[in-house]
Amino acid sequence: MSDDEPLDENPTTFADLGLSGTVLKALSAVGYERPSAIQEATIPTLLGGRDVVGLAQTGTGKTAAFALPILERLDKGQKQPQALVLAPTRELALQVCEAFEQYAGHSKSVHILPVYGGQGYGVQLSALRRGVHVVVGTPGRIMDHLDRGTLDLSELKYLVLDEADEMLKMGFAEDVETILAATPEDKQVAMFSATMPAQIRRLSAKYLRDPQEIAVRKTTTTASNVTQRYLIASYPQKVDALTRILEVENFDAMIVFTRTKNETETLAERLRARGYAAAAINGDVQQAQRERTVKQLKDGKLDILVATDVAARGLDVERITHVVNYDLPIDTESYVHRIGRTGRAGRSGDAISFVTPRERRTLSSIERATKQSLTQMHLPSVDEVNATRLSRFDDAITAALGNTARIDRFRDIIAHYVTHHDVPEADVAAALAVVAQGETPLLLDPADEPVREEFRGPKAQSRDRDSRDRRGSSGPLRTYRIAVGKRHKVEPRQIVGAIANEGGLSRGDFGQIKILPGFSLVDLPAEIPADALKRLERTRISGILIELQPDEGRAPRSGGPRSSGSRYGGGGRDGGRSERGGRGRNDSAGYDRGPRKPRKPRTPRD
Ligand code: AMP
């Protein structure tokens, strides 16, 4: 272990911050290991009863920073709402509700109610009548309830303004002020904002009492001998992305960081199941066991360590050529610490961060804080993976040929077979390869290519323009409209990424995409399940709600101007295959095996 680490040897625990009982239990079930910087500063202050102004963005753990102190002090016996969280959008309101539910351990006796426009009043009214502890809503709808007299805030103890700058930007200033003024004098107020414009300062001065100002942004520097890349991947795509990276990257040892303790175990298990020598370390693993694991990594008995920030503190193993941030860290200090686990002893290193479409802003804040930009990389394609596999296969043959003593023993047996069966030697070699390979296909099937957030080439596009039937892989398509367009600088890959992730769609489900100045038109399956449609209404691209809905025809439907749109999917799996010349599984013809990189034959081990 080295001593150049920015993280504390004895990190603060959630219990140190004054949290207790069921809240700690819930946190342990969620698997958070230690408080983030904003949590460490905010939780004790709020528990102490003081107002807070927090300068913090999404991705810093700010939701838990205000939710945990509220839950800690919750009076379950009080029927009137005791906490109100104002959020700029219904999407954020729902996220905050989910977080509250999670931090309350999904307890049936804690009642959290989302209140936003667009949802019927009925559900909200009956829940309010039954009694609600925490209300999370958009200012407009909260005002509606106050005007109708259906929301009683007379007993309110805690008021949170989440993403306050966004709320003001969206024109909620007046509503927010009215709500602040209409609630009890002695309530505690916590205001979170990514920026601190004059309007926010004014609001704070007028409605908060001697607030503690908390800022978590820090500038830190990262070593220049580490190449930093990022890959956009939704949560469900991460395992596949990691396995492909493991196949194509020329790594020696790797450390993969996850956000929670539970995830380290699950992921290590999944990697082992895929044949990799992987182990998990986290704060719950005993010191002795941890040291044994680190030694195995040093000795080359392990190649992949899946770790949390706490567990990897001070880890100094020269063999680590790669760091993968499977989950982005919750603060930039952790980012710097993580990537410092590679490039040890003056060597070069590689850091790859998985960024979910929603975390693009977190990525920008890491780039700002470290004053370095990360290069985008794409998911290694099936062809790239297969080229690497073939190259390793060749290497394995070369290595075996080097073992002359064993080769000599088998040569006679094979010669005997060739003479007695009148079969060419190449066929016998191929048959032996089949035996060696077992049931696992040597190569990936090109049809397994998942959605790639990229433009397809002009050739494919022009062929697709001729799509008379407008069908996707799962049936007929129809045109949908989304509320982001050229004006919002949206790109087709963002549209595909966001809609595919949130709607559970695959590449073959996409037809044409046309980006117009104020909105875009996207061809998607005519029948999208109701729950997916609901999620898609709430989806955001670059922070803007896309409000996906069927297009009612203002735009041309076929030919004409639409033909300038791009098309994804090539009409489903068959389309994808024929584009590749109909190559089937295990057919290596056409793979560019490229210049041979020397690499050691390596995992997956069988
Ligand atoms: P937020 O900034 O509140 O949107 O949180 C960003 C992400 O960090 C969410 O996925 C949380 O579940 C996660 N998170 C919050 N606090 C912690 C923590 N102390 N340790 C690990 N993950 C956390």
Side-chain angles (χ1 to χ4, degrees), residues 14 32-36 39 57-64 102-103 259 330:
F14 283 105
Y32 293 170
E33 201 156 47
R34 64 183 175 90
S36 69
Q39 291 161 2
Q57 291 177 324
T58 305
T60 51
K62 67 178 164 58
T63 317
Q102 204 183 14
Y103 303 142
R259 210 171 259 163
I330 39 174

Side-chain angles (χ1 to χ4, degrees), residues 173-228:
E174 213 177 298
D175 288 349
V176 169
E177 285 208 41
T178 312
I179 296 165
L180 275 164
T183 40
E185 274 279 302
D186 58 354
K187 65 183 177 294
Q188 181 180 42
V189 185
M191 175 156 79
F192 291 88
S193 189
T195 56
M196 232 0 108
Q199 217 183 348
I200 298 273
R201 295 214 167 275
R202 193 189 62 78
L203 206 64
S204 161
K206 191 162 169 196
Y207 295 100
L208 276 68
R209 284 171 306 170
D210 180 32
Q212 169 103 39
E213 291 209 10
I214 294 169
V216 292
R217 242 189 243 151
K218 271 190 193 157
T219 305
T220 24
T221 47
T222 49
S224 56
N225 58 338
V226 179
T227 311
Q228 299 171 54

Side-chain angles (χ1 to χ4, degrees), residues 16 60 92 106-107 126 147 162 166 209 223-224 284 308 335 342 573 578 593 602:
D16 295 339
T60 51
L92 182 63
H106 299 281
S107 158
S126 52
D147 289 344
D162 196 8
E166 284 295 315
R209 284 171 306 170
S224 56
D284 285 351
T308 52
Y335 178 83
T342 182
R573 294 188 146 209
S578 58
R593 299 167 73 152
R602 50 163 311 113

